[in-house]
Every structure is written in C-alpha cells, then in structure tokens.
Amino acid sequence: MKGVIKRLNEDGFGILYNKILVPFSAPGDEVEILKIEKQKRAKIVTEWRLLRSSPIRVGARCKVFGKCGGCTLQHIDYNSQLEFKKEKLRKILERDVDIVPSPKIFGHRNRIDLAVTESAIGFRERGKWWSVVDIEECPIFGKTSKRAIERLREYIEEEKISTWKIREDSGFLRYMVLREGKFTGEIMVNFVTKEGELPDPTSYFEFADSIYWSINKSKSDVSYGDVEKYWGKKFIIEELDGTKYLIHPNSFFQTNSYQAVNLIKTVEKFVEGEKVVDMYSGVGTFGIYLAKKGMKVVGFDSNAFAIEMANKNAEINNVEAEFFVASDKEVDIRGFDTVIVDPPRAGLHPKLVKRLNDHGPETIVYVSCNPKTFKANIEQLNNYIIEELIALDMFPHTPHIELVGKLRRLI
C-alpha cells in the first residue's frame, strides 16, 4: 500500500486515507506501508518505507529518533511544528491563537528520567512499555546527558550493580533522573532503586552539585521514591528572570527553563490588581515571581511537600508570599483581585468552577497544559469571557502546548 500523508492528527501522527496512522511521518511524505497493527481501536503503521520526502521534513538530530517514544515531531522543521500546533488549537478552541516559540529547541529540557535496564539505558520505545531504547545522549536535555550516561555505564560495570529486568520486575537500579538549572549550571543526579545497598557514586559523578539516592518501595513503575541519602547540596537552584527556585528530586518544576521565563512574564502581564491568590501553586513558580514584583500573594496546593518548597523559595527570595496546604475544593477566593489557576490535565474541580462563577474576582489567569479541558472549563465559567489568550511552545518536537488565558468577569 502506497500513499501521501495529507496531515497530522492531534498526537502528531501522519494520517493516510483518513484512517491509518503513520508515526514519524510528515505531511507531504510519500510512503509505502509494510505492516499495520490495531492499537486501541486505531490502525497504526509499525513498518513503512519513505518513498519521497516532504518539503518540511528535516534531519532529526537524535540518533534514535523514530524508535524512542520521547519526541514525535523532530523530523519536521520548527516553523511547521508551530503551524501544526496553531491548527490543533484552532480546531479545539475554534479561534486563532498566537504561539510564542521556544527560545531554544535543543538543550532546553531541564529534566530527563532515564530507565536503567540490563540491555539499555534510555527511554521507552514508542508503544512498548517493556522495551527501552539505548541512547548515548539526549539532545533535548543537552551535553550533560552524554557525560552522565557514560559515567553511569562505568559505575554499573565497576561496582557490579544489578539493573532492571522490566518483564520480570527484578533488579536493583531502575532510573537515573537528571536535572539541570539551565541558568545556573547546577546539576542533580537522582538514582531510583528498589531496596538494597547503593555503592558510593560520588567519584563517578564529580560534576554533579547534588547526588540523591531514592528508594521506590511500591510496585509502581515510577521514577521517584523516598530519599535514602544525598551527597553534596540538598537542593540545586534554577533562576528565572532574577527569581530563584530550589529544586529537589521530588518537586515539580517547569521542564523548559528558557520558555518558563516567557511563561511567568505572560502571567505577570495578565494579572490585575495587587492581591493575588495562586491556586495549584506548586513550588511557587508564579506566586514568588509576582511577590518580587510587589504583589501581595497567597498560594495554595494540596501537595504538602510542594508547599514546603514554596515557602522555602519565598524565604530565599526574601518575599512575603505565604503558601498553605489546601485542596481546590475548599480555598476561599473572595477578596482577591486576580486568581491564578494552573490545574492538572483534568482541569478545574467543579466546586472551584462554581465558586469562581458565584464570587470570583474581576480577573482569572488560567494556565493550562490541556487545551481540551481548558475549553471545557471556559464554557463552564459562564460569568467570564476570554480577554486575552496566548500559547507558548514549552515542548518542542512534541504535540503538546501550553495556554495562558486572561479571563474578565462579566457580572
């Protein structure tokens, strides 16, 4: 079977004959289909041959692109990636939205979670939970990844460390998580293991400012655990436009530091008034930045550790923002000029939607990583209208996109 890819679906897969999905293809590619499998009610091509390249196709920088499941669009030139995302937003939101390009499209990611198995160190193969693609480096993260992976191989071999057998769910060392402050250069390495003994890693990873050993005592396949020990600094620091943030192995932080600067500046631009409540505050990424600009900020998050980190971040930045543990179902939002919401992909809790409609402030700044739930929530917030809306490409080479909307109260 042969044909020409006409367009991409929302996940960035090429569509052939309106029903067959071709991963890692580009609009304009002429392809020959060799093998098709049914996956979750879809027909997905697992083997194909490129007969003629699309004019928007470029050479992927990553050596394992097309096998590794981390990137799906690296073979498409960056301007065309942005056009794809604009069209995706147009279909979902039924309106045109400007997109702020990422300042860097390689070396921008400040965290990667590398699976460590008997046969490979790297990321999952697309669609195969049991298979890990062996890599030498990750261009999305940058040069530090190559150095860390080389040292990890030496560490495992010389210290005779047992590694993960995924199908059997056995083995000691499961993940190596790398984090890097892109504006500070500080590096953290976190080893995630099952219970056992980890040999001292410091002589192998002398370039790291902070080394952690975390134990995952659950049966879940996750790249975090309870901290057993650390060497060097307890935290590394990232700095966004003059605001410092402490990074811990178990804390969430925006993964594209360069674009995160544009994100916090956009949020600041959309905020009205001085009294701000930062919902889903996490480690205080927005709230502390706004407090440094002179605003009076109170933040809330249901994650107690995130709140602990947010208050530490307020302290190191010498600002008076306060952060408290509370769920989105219970926070009193009255008395504020602006509410910032940055919910998980599932969107706002219905009880929060009702409170915002009933007695919300003049302005809501809605930060979203899921355009579909953003649209659903906007329709539910019937006492508000979108005054401004902008997208930021936080995740180059993937189909994902971040939205920031300024909502104004009607009544």
Side-chain angles (χ1 to χ4, degrees), residues 10 80 82-99 371-372 374-375 389 391 401 403:
E10 289 183 0
S80 298
L82 296 176
E83 287 301 317
F84 158 70
K85 294 183 181 187
K86 279 187 180 182
E87 180 59 28
K88 177 177 176 176
L89 291 176
R90 187 180 297 120
K91 288 180 179 178
I92 294 172
L93 302 176
E94 300 175 320
R95 62 189 293 163
D96 290 326
V97 183
D98 289 333
I99 298 180
K372 290 184 177 179
F374 174 84
K375 181 185 179 183
L389 181 62
I401 192 78
L403 286 171

PDB file of all heavy atoms in Angstrom, residues 10 80 82-99 371-372 374-375 389 391 401 403:
ATOM      1  N   GLU A  10      -3.951  14.893  16.154  1.00  0.00           N
ATOM      2  CA  GLU A  10      -3.612  15.705  17.330  1.00  0.00           C
ATOM      3  C   GLU A  10      -2.372  15.207  18.052  1.00  0.00           C
ATOM      4  O   GLU A  10      -1.700  15.971  18.742  1.00  0.00           O
ATOM      5  CB  GLU A  10      -4.797  15.740  18.302  1.00  0.00           C
ATOM      6  CG  GLU A  10      -5.972  16.560  17.801  1.00  0.00           C
ATOM      7  CD  GLU A  10      -7.085  16.627  18.808  1.00  0.00           C
ATOM      8  OE1 GLU A  10      -6.944  16.032  19.902  1.00  0.00           O
ATOM      9  OE2 GLU A  10      -8.107  17.273  18.525  1.00  0.00           O
ATOM     10  N   SER A  80       7.126  24.661  10.899  1.00  0.00           N
ATOM     11  CA  SER A  80       5.991  23.788  10.558  1.00  0.00           C
ATOM     12  C   SER A  80       5.413  23.130  11.812  1.00  0.00           C
ATOM     13  O   SER A  80       4.207  22.883  11.884  1.00  0.00           O
ATOM     14  CB  SER A  80       6.415  22.731   9.540  1.00  0.00           C
ATOM     15  OG  SER A  80       6.830  23.339   8.330  1.00  0.00           O
ATOM     16  N   LEU A  82       5.209  24.635  14.672  1.00  0.00           N
ATOM     17  CA  LEU A  82       4.374  25.684  15.248  1.00  0.00           C
ATOM     18  C   LEU A  82       3.064  25.833  14.477  1.00  0.00           C
ATOM     19  O   LEU A  82       1.997  26.039  15.083  1.00  0.00           O
ATOM     20  CB  LEU A  82       5.132  27.013  15.271  1.00  0.00           C
ATOM     21  CG  LEU A  82       6.377  27.067  16.165  1.00  0.00           C
ATOM     22  CD1 LEU A  82       7.075  28.408  16.016  1.00  0.00           C
ATOM     23  CD2 LEU A  82       6.027  26.812  17.623  1.00  0.00           C
ATOM     24  N   GLU A  83       3.122  25.707  13.155  1.00  0.00           N
ATOM     25  CA  GLU A  83       1.904  25.774  12.353  1.00  0.00           C
ATOM     26  C   GLU A  83       0.967  24.624  12.685  1.00  0.00           C
ATOM     27  O   GLU A  83      -0.258  24.798  12.743  1.00  0.00           O
ATOM     28  CB  GLU A  83       2.244  25.777  10.862  1.00  0.00           C
ATOM     29  CG  GLU A  83       2.836  27.084  10.360  1.00  0.00           C
ATOM     30  CD  GLU A  83       1.901  28.267  10.597  1.00  0.00           C
ATOM     31  OE1 GLU A  83       0.682  28.134  10.358  1.00  0.00           O
ATOM     32  OE2 GLU A  83       2.392  29.327  11.024  1.00  0.00           O
ATOM     33  N   PHE A  84       1.536  23.434  12.882  1.00  0.00           N
ATOM     34  CA  PHE A  84       0.736  22.276  13.295  1.00  0.00           C
ATOM     35  C   PHE A  84       0.033  22.556  14.618  1.00  0.00           C
ATOM     36  O   PHE A  84      -1.157  22.256  14.800  1.00  0.00           O
ATOM     37  CB  PHE A  84       1.646  21.051  13.416  1.00  0.00           C
ATOM     38  CG  PHE A  84       1.101  19.966  14.304  1.00  0.00           C
ATOM     39  CD1 PHE A  84      -0.005  19.205  13.931  1.00  0.00           C
ATOM     40  CD2 PHE A  84       1.695  19.692  15.532  1.00  0.00           C
ATOM     41  CE1 PHE A  84      -0.507  18.212  14.761  1.00  0.00           C
ATOM     42  CE2 PHE A  84       1.215  18.702  16.362  1.00  0.00           C
ATOM     43  CZ  PHE A  84       0.104  17.956  15.980  1.00  0.00           C
ATOM     44  N   LYS A  85       0.743  23.155  15.559  1.00  0.00           N
ATOM     45  CA  LYS A  85       0.155  23.430  16.869  1.00  0.00           C
ATOM     46  C   LYS A  85      -0.907  24.524  16.784  1.00  0.00           C
ATOM     47  O   LYS A  85      -1.928  24.467  17.484  1.00  0.00           O
ATOM     48  CB  LYS A  85       1.252  23.780  17.871  1.00  0.00           C
ATOM     49  CG  LYS A  85       2.175  22.597  18.155  1.00  0.00           C
ATOM     50  CD  LYS A  85       3.236  22.883  19.189  1.00  0.00           C
ATOM     51  CE  LYS A  85       4.121  21.660  19.381  1.00  0.00           C
ATOM     52  NZ  LYS A  85       5.085  21.780  20.481  1.00  0.00           N
ATOM     53  N   LYS A  86      -0.679  25.510  15.926  1.00  0.00           N
ATOM     54  CA  LYS A  86      -1.704  26.547  15.711  1.00  0.00           C
ATOM     55  C   LYS A  86      -2.984  25.938  15.163  1.00  0.00           C
ATOM     56  O   LYS A  86      -4.092  26.274  15.606  1.00  0.00           O
ATOM     57  CB  LYS A  86      -1.188  27.609  14.730  1.00  0.00           C
ATOM     58  CG  LYS A  86      -0.276  28.652  15.331  1.00  0.00           C
ATOM     59  CD  LYS A  86       0.031  29.734  14.294  1.00  0.00           C
ATOM     60  CE  LYS A  86       0.936  30.804  14.874  1.00  0.00           C
ATOM     61  NZ  LYS A  86       1.217  31.882  13.899  1.00  0.00           N
ATOM     62  N   GLU A  87      -2.836  25.041  14.198  1.00  0.00           N
ATOM     63  CA  GLU A  87      -4.009  24.399  13.603  1.00  0.00           C
ATOM     64  C   GLU A  87      -4.720  23.512  14.628  1.00  0.00           C
ATOM     65  O   GLU A  87      -5.948  23.451  14.678  1.00  0.00           O
ATOM     66  CB  GLU A  87      -3.586  23.579  12.389  1.00  0.00           C
ATOM     67  CG  GLU A  87      -4.724  22.863  11.672  1.00  0.00           C
ATOM     68  CD  GLU A  87      -5.799  23.808  11.154  1.00  0.00           C
ATOM     69  OE1 GLU A  87      -5.485  24.982  10.862  1.00  0.00           O
ATOM     70  OE2 GLU A  87      -6.969  23.370  11.038  1.00  0.00           O
ATOM     71  N   LYS A  88      -3.936  22.831  15.454  1.00  0.00           N
ATOM     72  CA  LYS A  88      -4.517  21.998  16.516  1.00  0.00           C
ATOM     73  C   LYS A  88      -5.353  22.847  17.465  1.00  0.00           C
ATOM     74  O   LYS A  88      -6.490  22.482  17.805  1.00  0.00           O
ATOM     75  CB  LYS A  88      -3.384  21.292  17.277  1.00  0.00           C
ATOM     76  CG  LYS A  88      -3.849  20.454  18.457  1.00  0.00           C
ATOM     77  CD  LYS A  88      -2.673  19.732  19.103  1.00  0.00           C
ATOM     78  CE  LYS A  88      -3.115  18.960  20.341  1.00  0.00           C
ATOM     79  NZ  LYS A  88      -2.013  18.166  20.924  1.00  0.00           N
ATOM     80  N   LEU A  89      -4.824  23.995  17.876  1.00  0.00           N
ATOM     81  CA  LEU A  89      -5.559  24.891  18.764  1.00  0.00           C
ATOM     82  C   LEU A  89      -6.789  25.466  18.075  1.00  0.00           C
ATOM     83  O   LEU A  89      -7.849  25.624  18.693  1.00  0.00           O
ATOM     84  CB  LEU A  89      -4.658  26.019  19.260  1.00  0.00           C
ATOM     85  CG  LEU A  89      -3.534  25.623  20.223  1.00  0.00           C
ATOM     86  CD1 LEU A  89      -2.669  26.827  20.562  1.00  0.00           C
ATOM     87  CD2 LEU A  89      -4.099  25.008  21.497  1.00  0.00           C
ATOM     88  N   ARG A  90      -6.657  25.771  16.778  1.00  0.00           N
ATOM     89  CA  ARG A  90      -7.794  26.311  16.027  1.00  0.00           C
ATOM     90  C   ARG A  90      -8.960  25.317  16.013  1.00  0.00           C
ATOM     91  O   ARG A  90     -10.120  25.697  16.181  1.00  0.00           O
ATOM     92  CB  ARG A  90      -7.355  26.641  14.604  1.00  0.00           C
ATOM     93  CG  ARG A  90      -8.411  27.375  13.771  1.00  0.00           C
ATOM     94  CD  ARG A  90      -7.898  27.669  12.370  1.00  0.00           C
ATOM     95  NE  ARG A  90      -6.749  28.571  12.406  1.00  0.00           N
ATOM     96  CZ  ARG A  90      -5.543  28.270  11.931  1.00  0.00           C
ATOM     97  NH1 ARG A  90      -5.323  27.083  11.386  1.00  0.00           N
ATOM     98  NH2 ARG A  90      -4.564  29.146  11.989  1.00  0.00           N
ATOM     99  N   LYS A  91      -8.655  24.045  15.857  1.00  0.00           N
ATOM    100  CA  LYS A  91      -9.704  23.027  15.826  1.00  0.00           C
ATOM    101  C   LYS A  91     -10.341  22.833  17.194  1.00  0.00           C
ATOM    102  O   LYS A  91     -11.556  22.662  17.309  1.00  0.00           O
ATOM    103  CB  LYS A  91      -9.136  21.702  15.316  1.00  0.00           C
ATOM    104  CG  LYS A  91      -8.817  21.699  13.839  1.00  0.00           C
ATOM    105  CD  LYS A  91      -8.249  20.360  13.410  1.00  0.00           C
ATOM    106  CE  LYS A  91      -7.954  20.348  11.914  1.00  0.00           C
ATOM    107  NZ  LYS A  91      -7.349  19.052  11.491  1.00  0.00           N
ATOM    108  N   ILE A  92      -9.523  22.841  18.237  1.00  0.00           N
ATOM    109  CA  ILE A  92     -10.041  22.592  19.585  1.00  0.00           C
ATOM    110  C   ILE A  92     -10.791  23.807  20.130  1.00  0.00           C
ATOM    111  O   ILE A  92     -11.902  23.691  20.662  1.00  0.00           O
ATOM    112  CB  ILE A  92      -8.899  22.197  20.542  1.00  0.00           C
ATOM    113  CG1 ILE A  92      -8.295  20.848  20.122  1.00  0.00           C
ATOM    114  CG2 ILE A  92      -9.404  22.117  21.989  1.00  0.00           C
ATOM    115  CD1 ILE A  92      -7.045  20.479  20.895  1.00  0.00           C
ATOM    116  N   LEU A  93     -10.176  24.986  19.983  1.00  0.00           N
ATOM    117  CA  LEU A  93     -10.720  26.194  20.609  1.00  0.00           C
ATOM    118  C   LEU A  93     -11.614  27.006  19.683  1.00  0.00           C
ATOM    119  O   LEU A  93     -12.279  27.946  20.127  1.00  0.00           O
ATOM    120  CB  LEU A  93      -9.569  27.075  21.102  1.00  0.00           C
ATOM    121  CG  LEU A  93      -8.596  26.433  22.096  1.00  0.00           C
ATOM    122  CD1 LEU A  93      -7.467  27.393  22.411  1.00  0.00           C
ATOM    123  CD2 LEU A  93      -9.305  25.993  23.366  1.00  0.00           C
ATOM    124  N   GLU A  94     -11.583  26.677  18.387  1.00  0.00           N
ATOM    125  CA  GLU A  94     -12.374  27.392  17.374  1.00  0.00           C
ATOM    126  C   GLU A  94     -12.013  28.872  17.326  1.00  0.00           C
ATOM    127  O   GLU A  94     -12.873  29.742  17.194  1.00  0.00           O
ATOM    128  CB  GLU A  94     -13.876  27.204  17.628  1.00  0.00           C
ATOM    129  CG  GLU A  94     -14.296  25.742  17.578  1.00  0.00           C
ATOM    130  CD  GLU A  94     -15.754  25.539  17.939  1.00  0.00           C
ATOM    131  OE1 GLU A  94     -16.223  26.210  18.879  1.00  0.00           O
ATOM    132  OE2 GLU A  94     -16.407  24.714  17.281  1.00  0.00           O
ATOM    133  N   ARG A  95     -10.716  29.135  17.431  1.00  0.00           N
ATOM    134  CA  ARG A  95     -10.211  30.501  17.337  1.00  0.00           C
ATOM    135  C   ARG A  95      -8.718  30.439  17.049  1.00  0.00           C
ATOM    136  O   ARG A  95      -8.048  29.441  17.326  1.00  0.00           O
ATOM    137  CB  ARG A  95     -10.483  31.297  18.614  1.00  0.00           C
ATOM    138  CG  ARG A  95      -9.796  30.729  19.844  1.00  0.00           C
ATOM    139  CD  ARG A  95     -10.264  31.411  21.115  1.00  0.00           C
ATOM    140  NE  ARG A  95      -9.857  32.801  21.162  1.00  0.00           N
ATOM    141  CZ  ARG A  95     -10.382  33.707  21.971  1.00  0.00           C
ATOM    142  NH1 ARG A  95     -11.382  33.354  22.795  1.00  0.00           N
ATOM    143  NH2 ARG A  95      -9.962  34.949  21.980  1.00  0.00           N
ATOM    144  N   ASP A  96      -8.178  31.503  16.494  1.00  0.00           N
ATOM    145  CA  ASP A  96      -6.737  31.586  16.235  1.00  0.00           C
ATOM    146  C   ASP A  96      -6.017  32.052  17.495  1.00  0.00           C
ATOM    147  O   ASP A  96      -6.474  32.973  18.186  1.00  0.00           O
ATOM    148  CB  ASP A  96      -6.451  32.564  15.092  1.00  0.00           C
ATOM    149  CG  ASP A  96      -6.913  32.031  13.751  1.00  0.00           C
ATOM    150  OD1 ASP A  96      -6.832  30.804  13.549  1.00  0.00           O
ATOM    151  OD2 ASP A  96      -7.370  32.833  12.908  1.00  0.00           O
ATOM    152  N   VAL A  97      -4.900  31.411  17.780  1.00  0.00           N
ATOM    153  CA  VAL A  97      -4.104  31.748  18.960  1.00  0.00           C
ATOM    154  C   VAL A  97      -2.650  31.897  18.532  1.00  0.00           C
ATOM    155  O   VAL A  97      -2.092  31.019  17.867  1.00  0.00           O
ATOM    156  CB  VAL A  97      -4.210  30.652  20.047  1.00  0.00           C
ATOM    157  CG1 VAL A  97      -3.422  31.061  21.298  1.00  0.00           C
ATOM    158  CG2 VAL A  97      -5.659  30.352  20.393  1.00  0.00           C
ATOM    159  N   ASP A  98      -2.032  33.013  18.907  1.00  0.00           N
ATOM    160  CA  ASP A  98      -0.606  33.207  18.637  1.00  0.00           C
ATOM    161  C   ASP A  98       0.223  32.303  19.545  1.00  0.00           C
ATOM    162  O   ASP A  98      -0.130  32.086  20.720  1.00  0.00           O
ATOM    163  CB  ASP A  98      -0.203  34.660  18.876  1.00  0.00           C
ATOM    164  CG  ASP A  98      -0.765  35.597  17.807  1.00  0.00           C
ATOM    165  OD1 ASP A  98      -0.999  35.131  16.674  1.00  0.00           O
ATOM    166  OD2 ASP A  98      -0.983  36.786  18.126  1.00  0.00           O
ATOM    167  N   ILE A  99       1.326  31.789  19.004  1.00  0.00           N
ATOM    168  CA  ILE A  99       2.203  30.906  19.768  1.00  0.00           C
ATOM    169  C   ILE A  99       3.574  31.566  19.931  1.00  0.00           C
ATOM    170  O   ILE A  99       4.177  32.009  18.949  1.00  0.00           O
ATOM    171  CB  ILE A  99       2.368  29.537  19.090  1.00  0.00           C
ATOM    172  CG1 ILE A  99       1.018  28.817  18.985  1.00  0.00           C
ATOM    173  CG2 ILE A  99       3.355  28.665  19.858  1.00  0.00           C
ATOM    174  CD1 ILE A  99       1.091  27.456  18.326  1.00  0.00           C
ATOM    175  N   PRO A 371      -5.473  21.848  26.181  1.00  0.00           N
ATOM    176  CA  PRO A 371      -6.441  22.739  25.534  1.00  0.00           C
ATOM    177  C   PRO A 371      -7.881  22.255  25.614  1.00  0.00           C
ATOM    178  O   PRO A 371      -8.808  23.067  25.668  1.00  0.00           O
ATOM    179  CB  PRO A 371      -5.960  22.787  24.080  1.00  0.00           C
ATOM    180  CG  PRO A 371      -4.512  22.469  24.145  1.00  0.00           C
ATOM    181  CD  PRO A 371      -4.368  21.487  25.267  1.00  0.00           C
ATOM    182  N   LYS A 372      -8.086  20.940  25.649  1.00  0.00           N
ATOM    183  CA  LYS A 372      -9.460  20.412  25.686  1.00  0.00           C
ATOM    184  C   LYS A 372     -10.136  20.694  27.022  1.00  0.00           C
ATOM    185  O   LYS A 372     -11.302  21.112  27.060  1.00  0.00           O
ATOM    186  CB  LYS A 372      -9.454  18.917  25.386  1.00  0.00           C
ATOM    187  CG  LYS A 372      -9.120  18.601  23.939  1.00  0.00           C
ATOM    188  CD  LYS A 372      -9.208  17.110  23.647  1.00  0.00           C
ATOM    189  CE  LYS A 372      -8.942  16.833  22.172  1.00  0.00           C
ATOM    190  NZ  LYS A 372      -8.984  15.388  21.855  1.00  0.00           N
ATOM    191  N   PHE A 374      -9.165  23.015  29.070  1.00  0.00           N
ATOM    192  CA  PHE A 374      -9.243  24.476  29.124  1.00  0.00           C
ATOM    193  C   PHE A 374     -10.547  24.946  28.485  1.00  0.00           C
ATOM    194  O   PHE A 374     -11.292  25.745  29.065  1.00  0.00           O
ATOM    195  CB  PHE A 374      -8.039  25.092  28.408  1.00  0.00           C
ATOM    196  CG  PHE A 374      -8.090  26.589  28.272  1.00  0.00           C
ATOM    197  CD1 PHE A 374      -7.670  27.403  29.301  1.00  0.00           C
ATOM    198  CD2 PHE A 374      -8.556  27.180  27.104  1.00  0.00           C
ATOM    199  CE1 PHE A 374      -7.711  28.787  29.183  1.00  0.00           C
ATOM    200  CE2 PHE A 374      -8.613  28.558  26.970  1.00  0.00           C
ATOM    201  CZ  PHE A 374      -8.183  29.364  28.010  1.00  0.00           C
ATOM    202  N   LYS A 375     -10.842  24.449  27.301  1.00  0.00           N
ATOM    203  CA  LYS A 375     -12.069  24.854  26.613  1.00  0.00           C
ATOM    204  C   LYS A 375     -13.305  24.491  27.428  1.00  0.00           C
ATOM    205  O   LYS A 375     -14.235  25.289  27.577  1.00  0.00           O
ATOM    206  CB  LYS A 375     -12.146  24.192  25.241  1.00  0.00           C
ATOM    207  CG  LYS A 375     -13.397  24.597  24.459  1.00  0.00           C
ATOM    208  CD  LYS A 375     -13.521  23.847  23.161  1.00  0.00           C
ATOM    209  CE  LYS A 375     -14.790  24.266  22.424  1.00  0.00           C
ATOM    210  NZ  LYS A 375     -14.991  23.509  21.168  1.00  0.00           N
ATOM    211  N   LEU A 389      -5.594  35.651  25.087  1.00  0.00           N
ATOM    212  CA  LEU A 389      -5.211  34.240  25.085  1.00  0.00           C
ATOM    213  C   LEU A 389      -3.935  34.088  24.270  1.00  0.00           C
ATOM    214  O   LEU A 389      -3.840  34.592  23.153  1.00  0.00           O
ATOM    215  CB  LEU A 389      -6.325  33.374  24.492  1.00  0.00           C
ATOM    216  CG  LEU A 389      -6.080  31.863  24.445  1.00  0.00           C
ATOM    217  CD1 LEU A 389      -5.898  31.298  25.854  1.00  0.00           C
ATOM    218  CD2 LEU A 389      -7.239  31.160  23.741  1.00  0.00           C
ATOM    219  N   ALA A 391      -0.522  31.181  23.485  1.00  0.00           N
ATOM    220  CA  ALA A 391       0.058  29.851  23.660  1.00  0.00           C
ATOM    221  C   ALA A 391       1.576  29.975  23.703  1.00  0.00           C
ATOM    222  O   ALA A 391       2.163  30.881  23.092  1.00  0.00           O
ATOM    223  CB  ALA A 391      -0.359  28.932  22.511  1.00  0.00           C
ATOM    224  N   ILE A 401       1.255  21.634  24.052  1.00  0.00           N
ATOM    225  CA  ILE A 401       1.257  23.097  24.004  1.00  0.00           C
ATOM    226  C   ILE A 401       0.698  23.654  25.307  1.00  0.00           C
ATOM    227  O   ILE A 401      -0.160  23.034  25.938  1.00  0.00           O
ATOM    228  CB  ILE A 401       0.431  23.615  22.796  1.00  0.00           C
ATOM    229  CG1 ILE A 401       0.651  25.097  22.547  1.00  0.00           C
ATOM    230  CG2 ILE A 401      -1.030  23.278  22.946  1.00  0.00           C
ATOM    231  CD1 ILE A 401       1.925  25.413  21.860  1.00  0.00           C
ATOM    232  N   LEU A 403      -1.146  26.897  27.339  1.00  0.00           N
ATOM    233  CA  LEU A 403      -2.010  28.058  27.117  1.00  0.00           C
ATOM    234  C   LEU A 403      -2.006  28.953  28.347  1.00  0.00           C
ATOM    235  O   LEU A 403      -1.937  28.466  29.484  1.00  0.00           O
ATOM    236  CB  LEU A 403      -3.450  27.617  26.858  1.00  0.00           C
ATOM    237  CG  LEU A 403      -3.787  26.988  25.508  1.00  0.00           C
ATOM    238  CD1 LEU A 403      -5.203  26.423  25.548  1.00  0.00           C
ATOM    239  CD2 LEU A 403      -3.663  28.002  24.388  1.00  0.00           C
TER     240      LEU A 403
END
